[in-house]
Amino acid sequence: EIKQNGQVETDAGAGGTIICLAAEELGLTREELADRIVPDLGFNENLERIFDYGERQFKVYITPALEVEIFDENDKKLKNMPAPGKKDDEAKAAEAYAEFKQMKKQMKTTVTNQKLRLEYALTVNRRWKAVDWEKLFVKNPIMHQFAISLIWGVYEKEDLKDTFRYMEDGTFNTVDEDEYELSESAVIGLVHPVELDEEIKSKWQEQLTDYEITQSIEQLSRPVYRITDAEKKEKSLTKVAGKMLNPLSLSSKLIGMGWTKGPAMDGGGFYKYIRDDADCGLGVELYFSGAFIGDYASINEDDVTVYDAVIYNTETVQYDRKGWGDVAKESALDLGDVPARYYSEIVYQLEKATATSTETNENWQSEK
């Protein structure tokens, strides 16, 4: 049994290792286990939690913006949870007030964590069987509020067949605002804008605007990058190659998006960043001019030059990440063989990671 008090760690490190080991023991993937332990923070399926002060009771609701609203026993909306008063039961009120403050902290952590997990699901094209999707996004009060702001797709193998939106009243809506019947056999995933034509995307955006819905993660407004004909036979992704920027800025942004530093070479330097998306069977290596593994970067550190990147199949490239080889480079996929969604997401992340660059090294290829 794994108990969580608001934080689900799925990244590398001790927390991520524990999750991976527990998932393996249960015969689940890391993400499937993480789905099961998303906390409800004491809220019921009506998105309500009651805090009992004895003489007074306060109802707290989760809003579509993933914030909380507080109401007193007369259904008057309050700005903040009141501190215990003289007429309240001293023990009950103190306990309830402390639980509210703890819940607020846990909610902030949980929302941050689940946003990262949904970003990851969008990147790797994660799918759920209808029964598992409903357990997570309908039954869990936190994930319910995420779900109503997003556009979902029904997939058959790799093909998007239908799109729908989950409504606050528990029904499903089509892009034309007709009621949608979700099949029990449906396989569901987050729609990526690379899969939508402009007309459908605009209609969904208009519907969200009409309902005053702000998406919980960037989805329909997400930039889309498509593989050009000239790139299809290329193995090297050069969209950001030559960009120069502070190494700390590059590192913090990439690591924040799920990348890791490559292995240390002689002298403690490293020369690549790695993204391992085994959930979709793909990985990326981004090469650059190098930095030190330790406390290598400061505001005055010399800029580094970003080189090219390769995308590979993780089933083909199986090697010790502490090694120094170029197995990934040698097994790089033609860009034309990379799924459109994954290609778009990797370019998007590289553009974000290098956005502060104001200078380009035109000689990057000769220096590499």
Side-chain angles (χ1 to χ4, degrees):
E1 182 182 4
I2 295 178
K3 296 181 179 179
Q4 295 288 315
N5 64 354
Q7 186 166 3
V8 178
E9 294 189 64
T10 59
D11 55 348
T17 301
I18 292 169
I19 290 288
C20 289
L21 291 174
E24 185 177 350
E25 183 72 20
L26 294 169
L28 303 171
T29 68
R30 182 186 66 179
E31 289 300 310
E32 286 171 343
L33 178 56
D35 285 349
R36 295 190 181 192
I37 57 178
V38 177
D40 60 23
L41 304 182
F43 288 88
N44 60 30
E45 289 185 22
N46 295 321
L47 315 181
E48 175 191 79
R49 179 173 173 179
I50 296 174
F51 291 86
D52 187 1
Y53 279 34
E55 284 293 315
R56 298 181 292 171
Q57 289 189 333
F58 301 95
K59 294 180 181 179
V60 177
Y61 297 92
I62 308 173
T63 72
L66 291 160
E67 298 174 346
V68 295
E69 289 183 337
I70 307 164
F71 294 85
D72 66 14
E73 60 268 30
N74 298 314
D75 286 332
K76 179 182 177 182
K77 186 176 178 180
L78 308 176
K79 288 185 178 181
N80 299 295
M81 179 66 75
K86 292 182 179 180
K87 294 184 179 180
D88 297 316
D89 181 292
E90 184 176 355
K92 278 188 175 182
E95 182 180 3
Y97 190 61
E99 286 179 352
F100 175 79
K101 291 194 291 184
Q102 180 66 14
M103 179 275 293
K104 286 271 287 183
K105 291 180 182 178
Q106 291 177 344
M107 186 167 179
K108 183 177 180 180
T109 301
T110 299
V111 168
T112 299
N113 260 347
Q114 299 314 312
K115 282 185 177 181
L116 291 174
R117 292 189 63 231
L118 287 170
E119 288 276 355
Y120 178 73
L122 187 62
T123 296
V124 303
N125 201 4
R126 189 172 174 218
R127 312 281 176 77
W128 290 265
K129 293 179 181 178
V131 63
D132 296 324
W133 185 88
E134 290 183 357
K135 283 180 183 176
L136 179 60
F137 293 102
V138 175
K139 302 298 183 182
N140 184 284
I142 306 294
M143 301 311 292
H144 174 280
Q145 296 301 68
F146 275 108
I148 62 175
S149 74
L150 300 169
I151 306 304
W152 300 92
V154 174
Y155 291 83
E156 290 182 11
K157 295 183 178 180
E158 298 306 313
D159 297 328
L160 175 63
K161 294 299 183 182
D162 290 309
T163 59
F164 70 91
R165 188 164 75 86
Y166 176 50
M167 309 293 284
E168 284 192 77
D169 62 4
T171 61
F172 302 102
N173 213 23
T174 70
V175 70
D176 295 316
E177 299 202 50
D178 297 323
E179 188 169 345
Y180 181 76
E181 185 175 345
L182 185 63
S183 168
E184 292 181 358
S185 62
V187 176
I188 303 166
L190 281 166
V191 172
H192 194 285
V194 76
E195 301 170 310
L196 302 176
D197 62 40
E198 285 302 317
E199 181 182 0
I200 296 297
K201 186 171 78 169
S202 294
K203 290 176 74 173
W204 273 125
Q205 288 174 320
E206 182 179 352
Q207 186 177 139
L208 291 173
T209 300
D210 290 344
Y211 281 84
E212 298 182 342
I213 297 292
T214 300
Q215 294 206 288
S216 50
I217 64 169
E218 186 181 31
Q219 185 187 24
L220 294 184
S221 61
R222 207 173 190 85
V224 169
Y225 301 90
R226 301 183 187 277
I227 303 169
T228 65
D229 289 338
E231 288 180 301
K232 287 183 178 179
K233 293 298 181 182
E234 295 291 331
K235 294 184 181 294
S236 178
L237 179 59
T238 59
K239 291 289 188 184
V240 298
K243 288 191 175 183
M244 301 176 65
L245 69 159
N246 179 269
L248 181 58
S249 174
L250 178 65
S251 179
S252 62
K253 288 180 180 177
L254 286 174
I255 290 173
M257 291 185 286
W259 296 66
T260 59
K261 296 174 184 177
M265 306 288 279
D266 287 338
F270 72 104
Y271 299 87
K272 61 185 174 185
Y273 286 93
I274 300 169
R275 181 176 180 90
D276 191 341
D277 291 317
D279 287 298
C280 68
L282 295 169
V284 191
E285 287 193 350
L286 172 68
Y287 308 105
F288 75 115
S289 57
F292 291 107
I293 282 285
D295 187 16
Y296 65 85
S298 70
I299 195 66
N300 298 315
E301 188 77 19
D302 290 339
D303 285 353
V304 294
T305 299
V306 176
Y307 298 152
D308 56 348
V310 297
I311 300 174
Y312 56 89
N313 188 314
T314 55
E315 291 182 0
T316 303
V317 179
Q318 294 182 2
Y319 66 102
D320 183 357
R321 285 302 174 86
K322 295 180 181 179
W324 296 358
D326 288 323
V327 183
K329 190 182 298 185
E330 294 163 3
S331 304
L333 295 171
D334 289 345
L335 295 180
D337 293 332
V338 177
R341 177 194 294 239
Y342 196 74
Y343 173 91
S344 184
E345 284 298 294
I346 294 306
V347 174
Y348 174 49
Q349 290 179 20
L350 295 179
E351 291 284 358
K352 286 176 68 176
T354 58
T356 58
S357 173
T358 59
E359 187 177 355
T360 300
N361 181 353
E362 301 293 349
N363 299 316
W364 70 268
Q365 284 181 303
S366 62
E367 295 180 7
K368 183 180 171 185

